[in-house]
Amino acid sequence: MGSYYNVDAILTDAQKVPCTFEIDIPGLGFVDGHAGTDIKKGSNVNLPLWLGGYIAVQRFGDPVLSIDLPASLAPRVLNALKANPRTVDLRSLAPHFYELAARALDLFEEDEIVDVLTETFKNRAAEIADHANNTQSALGEGGDFLRGLDEMERQLFRAAHDSSKAVKTWMGELKKKQ
């Protein structure tokens, strides 16, 4: 988990993940939208990541629940990322896609997902840098790509754009001095 005061970490931990209860729990039906009923073994419920993760790692004897990978890390998404990571709208999958993936991978050991996400970030970072340095392409055909950036990628775009702008300003000042 990120910093207690980090808004991105709070929003990431609030994202819902699919969980399956492994035991019956009396009176907890309100979690599934059925107040006054019991949660039955095998019930599937979407819980915030912070809550599902906390309950899943607690050991009170038998496991209380198990967490499944979020839909944003489903096999069809991973296949699309393998095929062409630049065409996938990460923001529609999860506004904090990479942070959610990192938190989910704290709970799962999935080397293939780590590899796919690493390659995805490398490919998309190159495209982000290109758009940040060439604002004309960002306004034209790159608009759809930029709209699909998750929050981490948006921060990367802003940093790259501001750096490019600062270098151009600096180079202009150097030319004036000569």
Side-chain angles (χ1 to χ4, degrees), residues 20-127:
T20 304
F21 280 87
E22 304 294 334
I23 59 173
D24 293 338
I25 302 179
L28 198 64
F30 66 89
V31 172
D32 194 19
H34 302 98
T37 62
D38 301 340
I39 290 279
K40 300 290 184 195
K41 179 179 179 175
S43 295
N44 294 317
V45 179
N46 288 326
L47 295 176
L49 180 59
W50 67 268
L51 180 60
Y54 179 76
I55 295 172
V57 299
Q58 299 301 313
R59 295 292 172 231
F60 307 109
D62 292 335
V64 176
L65 63 79
S66 60
I67 296 181
D68 298 321
L69 283 171
S72 59
L73 296 175
R76 68 174 184 76
V77 174
L78 295 175
N79 289 335
L81 290 173
K82 286 178 197 174
N84 187 355
R86 293 178 176 134
T87 60
V88 179
D89 182 354
L90 296 183
R91 188 164 196 77
S92 69
L93 296 171
H96 297 86
F97 179 80
Y98 290 109
E99 289 91 347
L100 176 63
R103 287 281 290 127
L105 291 172
D106 285 344
L107 301 169
F108 301 96
E109 291 184 23
E110 295 283 344
D111 292 336
E112 180 191 359
I113 294 175
V114 172
D115 294 340
V116 169
L117 294 179
T118 301
E119 284 304 309
T120 295
F121 189 78
K122 285 180 194 177
N123 287 324
R124 290 173 67 95
E127 184 87 5

